[in-house]
Amino acid sequence: MTTIVVLGAGVSGLTCALQLAKRGDVAITIVAKHMPGDYDVEYTSPWAGANVLPMAVEKDSRWEKRTWPILKHLAKEVPEAGIHLQKARVYRLAKDEPTDFKGPLDDSLFATDPWYQKLMDDFRELPANELPHAGVRSGCEFQSVCINTAIYLPWLLGQCVKYGVVFKRAVVSHISEAANMSHTGKKADIVINASGVLASRLGGVMDATVQPARGQIVVVRNEAPNNMMTTSGCDDSDDEIVYSMTRAAGGGTVLGGTYQLGNWDPNPEPNVAVRIMKRAIELHPELTGGRGIEALSIIRHGVGLRPYRKDGVRIEKERIDGTWVVHNYGHAGWGYQGSYGCAEAVVDLVDEAIAEMKPAKRQSKL
Ligand SMILES: Cc1cc2nc3c(=O)[nH]c(=O)nc-3n(C[C@H](O)[C@H](O)[C@H](O)COP(=O)(O)OP(=O)(O)OC[C@H]3O[C@@H](n4cnc5c(N)ncnc54)[C@H](O)[C@@H]3O)c2cc1C
């Protein structure tokens, strides 16, 4: 049996642990400072919307392509996972021409004729009479999902427990410490590093190319039909963005947001919060029945730090102090919508590591 320690209980660590545990013949321990149920600025996953809006360019779209069918299945067949189907609208602003609609997120979501129209069901370009105002030059709509992270993360944890994963709360200062934290008492054969934005501060990793992309949100009780949307930018600031979505099962409506690189500030900024709410009401006055932002019923203000990595996600293995470490961090703003694709790649790397360990194990018996 292979002994594995997963460092991190965000969506990345939980999904990897679950996919590995389902295969059997592994003893898995998840070690984490923060667990589902916690709200802390160092723990990104609870703060996400979260929805599926494909962001990668097509050549890097493997993670999103492999994840989408699984999230769609969960939305349709597993209601207790807290995911529901929702139409998504992507608006391309006239002011963002002629940059092929690359807004502050610098992704291909806003491209005209996007690759993902082949992936997402019911894709259609919106006719002019369905665009919200004159500043929106064009837009599209497709079937997506919205994940209530307050339900989905505990659901993932429960699934892991069902398949035998053991959870341990601990703070690790060096990645090598994790190898000695298996519940079996044995040294781990493999450590999976799913430490998110804290990969920038973790001994043995200290990835200086990881930094937060700070996202401020307002979660409200108000709901409106067809409100899951985003725009290619906004007039207020280059590091502010516009999106909204209503979470499944009474999770409220999430209004966003910001994308502030290098900013670790955990405190919601009041002026930004007002701008977030104003922009949401401009696009969806029906959220408050035409009564303006004063009629928004606020559940909470929040800040989450997307784990941005300059060269994109790191999914690779390396030996650190004699133990195989498989890295899976740096998912920026797409950690949910790429979670199963990334976990699949992690499983492949775990298999490679096991294969490479076998000769060493045989030799040690001689
Ligand atoms: C406002 C906002 C909106 C977003 N919207 C979306 C969306 O709509 N769709 C989408 O797909 N994604 C979205 N994201 C991005 C998504 O939330 C992240 O990509 C994802 O949550 C990253 O998950 P993770 O598991 O890698 O990191 P985290 O959730 O941060 O988990 C890291 C884990 O590692 C543990 N850890 C780290 N270091 C240590 C240590 N030294 N010792 C012990 N434990 C440690 C932590 O305690 C934690 O358990 C959004 C993010 C934000 C902030």
Side-chain angles (χ1 to χ4, degrees):
M1 184 175 283
T2 307
T3 306
I4 297 177
V5 169
V6 178
L7 180 67
V11 67
S12 308
L14 292 167
T15 312
C16 288
L18 179 57
Q19 299 306 82
L20 285 162
K22 277 182 174 174
R23 302 185 335 154
D25 205 28
V26 279
I28 301 176
T29 313
I30 293 189
V31 173
K33 183 175 179 184
H34 309 95
M35 297 277 182
D38 297 348
Y39 281 92
D40 190 294
V41 77
E42 288 181 344
Y43 183 34
T44 307
S45 293
W47 299 108
N51 64 8
V52 174
L53 298 175
M55 293 174 186
V57 291
E58 186 163 20
K59 75 173 176 47
D60 298 330
S61 61
R62 169 183 169 191
W63 322 119
E64 291 172 341
K65 280 183 179 159
R66 302 290 293 177
T67 302
W68 171 240
I70 301 174
L71 292 179
K72 188 164 69 168
H73 164 79
L74 291 174
K76 285 184 169 171
E77 309 293 341
V78 189
E80 64 273 23
I83 302 177
H84 65 175
L85 291 168
Q86 225 179 90
K87 285 275 164 71
R89 287 186 168 207
V90 174
Y91 296 129
R92 310 175 191 110
L93 301 187
K95 80 173 184 64
D96 293 332
E97 285 183 283
T99 59
D100 198 21
F101 302 106
K102 280 191 175 172
L105 296 178
D106 192 25
D107 52 48
S108 65
L109 176 64
F110 303 101
T112 45
D113 199 20
W115 65 265
Y116 60 78
Q117 63 189 293
K118 290 179 247 138
L119 180 69
M120 309 305 285
D121 298 333
D122 302 334
F123 181 95
R124 68 181 178 107
E125 277 293 312
L126 293 170
N129 66 356
E130 290 190 44
L131 301 176
H133 57 73
V136 177
R137 201 203 67 124
S138 68
C140 63
E141 183 189 78
F142 50 89
Q143 186 64 262
S144 181
V145 293
C146 179
I147 304 167
N148 184 343
T149 60
I151 296 177
Y152 183 60
L153 293 170
W155 178 82
L156 277 177
L157 182 147
Q159 292 295 298
C160 286
V161 171
K162 180 172 142 190
Y163 285 95
V165 176
V166 174
F167 284 78
K168 269 193 183 181
R169 284 258 187 191
V171 182
V172 162
S173 56
H174 193 283
I175 186 77
S176 296
E177 288 170 31
N180 296 317
M181 300 183 101
S182 167
H183 67 278
T184 62
K186 281 174 53 188
K187 186 168 189 224
D189 300 303
I190 298 165
V191 170
I192 293 168
N193 172 22
S195 55
V197 74
L198 295 183
S200 58
R201 296 175 173 178
L202 177 62
V205 180
M206 292 287 190
D207 190 332
T209 68
V210 171
Q211 56 176 318
R214 182 179 177 278
Q216 182 168 331
I217 54 165
V218 185
V219 187
V220 298
R221 294 183 181 83
N222 311 61
E223 294 185 7
N226 289 327
N227 80 36
M228 191 156 92
M229 61 82 199
T230 190
T231 64
S232 58
C234 76
D235 291 329
D236 293 328
S237 166
D238 282 348
D239 61 9
E240 293 187 23
I241 56 180
V242 185
Y243 63 88
S244 70
M245 68 195 82
T246 298
R247 286 173 166 176
T253 298
V254 181
L255 311 176
T258 61
Y259 199 91
Q260 298 167 319
L261 277 179
N263 186 339
W264 289 85
D265 186 356
N267 302 308
E269 217 270 283
N271 290 327
V272 172
V274 170
R275 292 202 288 274
I276 288 172
M277 293 188 281
K278 273 190 170 166
R279 293 191 297 251
I281 292 297
E282 258 163 37
L283 279 162
H284 290 289
E286 59 275 26
L287 270 172
T288 55
R291 288 175 296 141
I293 72 165
E294 291 77 9
L296 285 172
S297 171
I298 296 169
I299 301 169
R300 80 173 71 86
H301 294 275
V303 170
L305 304 178
R306 301 174 185 88
Y308 172 87
R309 186 168 182 267
K310 187 171 149 282
D311 296 323
V313 68
R314 183 176 184 201
I315 302 182
E316 61 188 19
K317 68 182 200 317
E318 67 170 323
R319 264 192 198 277
I320 300 180
D321 297 335
T323 303
W324 278 114
V325 175
V326 177
H327 299 286
N328 180 24
Y329 65 84
H331 306 81
W334 54 271
Y336 284 85
Q337 65 192 36
S339 53
Y340 287 94
C342 293
E344 183 182 69
V346 166
V347 171
D348 289 347
L349 290 173
V350 164
D351 281 342
E352 269 181 39
I354 291 171
E356 287 174 41
M357 280 182 310
K358 271 185 184 152
K361 275 193 176 167
R362 267 203 304 273
Q363 266 177 12
S364 67
K365 280 186 191 155
L366 289 176

